[in-house]
């Protein structure tokens, strides 16, 4: 058994695809029309090509409530590891990414948290 797909709920699939590829630097792997929505996955250029992040349309009222509650409480939906958090923070700030937490040491890691413009807070972390 292995993890192959992980989903993240997004308010707007087009905006999410643009943010996750053009700002974060992920690569689009799949973009398949499925009626009103699409099956969109992205992969990290720094990680294995078979681990995909699905940009799921947030059409279910239960998922919208969950997403909004996490955001309101300042809780990141997921986390991505980076090799140099301070450099990644600076790069993303230059692209006008809104951070809710600047790089901060937290035990064995340093973390930062930003909004993905699609309803989610995302944590970046670097082992220290």
């Amino acid at each position: 058994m292995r993890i192959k797909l992980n989903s993240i709920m997004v308010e707007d699939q087009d905006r999410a695809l643009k943010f996750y590829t053009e700002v974060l630097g992920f690569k689009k792997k799949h973009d398949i029309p499925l009626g009103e929505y699409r099956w969109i996955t992205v992969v990290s250029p720094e990680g294995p090509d078979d681990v995909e992040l699905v940009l799921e349309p947030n059409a279910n009222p239960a998922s919208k409530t969950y997403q909004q509650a996490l955001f309101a409480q300042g809780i990141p939906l997921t986390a991505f590891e980076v090799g140099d958090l301070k450099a990644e923070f600076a790069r993303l700030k230059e692209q006008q990414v809104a951070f809710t937490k600047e790089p901060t040491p937290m035990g064995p890691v340093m973390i930062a948290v930003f909004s993905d413009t699609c309803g989610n807070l995302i944590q970046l972390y670097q082992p220290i």
Side-chain angles (χ1 to χ4, degrees):
M1 185 180 305
R2 64 187 174 136
I3 298 171
K4 179 110 171 120
L5 294 172
N6 188 31
S7 296
I8 187 168
M9 304 307 276
V10 297
E11 297 169 338
D12 181 295
Q13 286 186 298
D14 289 323
R15 189 170 69 233
L17 182 58
K18 183 175 181 171
F19 182 84
Y20 280 81
T21 57
E22 295 178 16
V23 176
L24 296 185
F26 291 123
K27 304 292 181 195
K28 178 174 66 172
K29 184 161 183 182
H30 297 288
D31 188 348
I32 302 167
L34 297 171
E36 183 180 350
Y37 302 107
R38 297 168 9 228
W39 174 260
I40 303 173
T41 67
V42 295
V43 296
S44 169
E46 299 174 24
D49 185 53
D50 70 338
V51 177
E52 300 174 53
L53 181 65
V54 183
L55 304 178
E56 288 279 355
N58 192 4
N60 184 309
S63 65
K64 283 183 185 181
T65 300
Y66 176 71
Q67 182 187 42
Q68 291 168 349
L70 286 179
F71 194 93
Q73 293 177 42
I75 299 172
L77 181 64
T78 194
F80 303 133
E81 183 177 309
V82 296
D84 184 340
L85 183 59
K86 289 182 180 178
E88 193 65 21
F89 174 78
R91 182 185 79 80
L92 294 174
K93 285 291 278 189
E94 285 181 13
Q95 295 190 50
Q96 309 303 314
V97 172
F99 278 82
T100 60
K101 180 182 270 313
E102 296 196 0
T104 306
M106 297 285 227
V109 296
M110 182 175 293
I111 69 165
V113 178
F114 66 88
S115 169
D116 73 352
T117 74
C118 301
N120 304 297
L121 294 175
I122 306 295
Q123 179 176 290
L124 297 178
Y125 72 93
Q126 174 190 345
I128 48 176

